[in-house]
Amino acid sequence: MSRPSVDVVVPFAGSLAALTDLCARMSRLRLRAGDTLTIVDNRPPEAEPRPANSVSVLRAPERQSSYFARNRGAMGKKGEWILFIDADVDPAPDLLDRY
């Protein structure tokens, strides 16, 4: 069964420890060719640097707003769908395939 390509965008504004945990949880999400996963780090400019990991983390410190972070994360995406997930969600690895 085929499904459209999906760009997953997760706005984030918490501690560095919470960001590290979020990256670990989101890295379990099963992506197919054409899918992307972007965590938008919406912490203030003076926040600690992001953790090193395989998940794409985009900084967006200009305005602390989940709406701003979602819009920044969605810019330039090419997937057929955009899926916004909140940072406190622990998605099942097969979430995208369930759609």
Side-chain angles (χ1 to χ4, degrees):
M1 172 184 268
S2 92
R3 64 161 172 77
S5 58
V6 181
D7 293 316
V8 180
V9 177
V10 186
F12 174 81
S15 69
L16 182 58
L19 179 56
T20 301
D21 176 65
L22 174 63
C23 289
R25 284 186 289 116
M26 290 299 153
S27 70
R28 294 189 292 260
L29 196 59
R30 193 172 312 128
L31 302 176
R32 292 185 183 180
D35 295 341
T36 65
L37 167 62
T38 304
I39 295 173
V40 184
D41 183 355
N42 195 224
R43 297 175 299 155
E46 65 276 0
E48 315 96 287
R50 69 179 180 83
N53 57 53
S54 61
V55 176
S56 173
V57 178
L58 173 67
R59 288 282 290 141
E62 299 87 351
R63 187 177 317 149
Q64 279 64 65
S65 159
S66 61
Y67 302 107
F68 179 81
R70 284 183 188 96
N71 287 335
R72 175 64 63 83
M75 287 176 60
K77 298 299 182 185
K78 298 188 183 334
E80 296 174 73
W81 291 354
I82 296 178
L83 175 63
F84 297 107
I85 299 179
D86 288 335
D88 60 349
V89 172
D90 190 9
D94 64 344
L95 174 71
L96 303 180
D97 292 332
R98 289 182 186 189
Y99 280 99

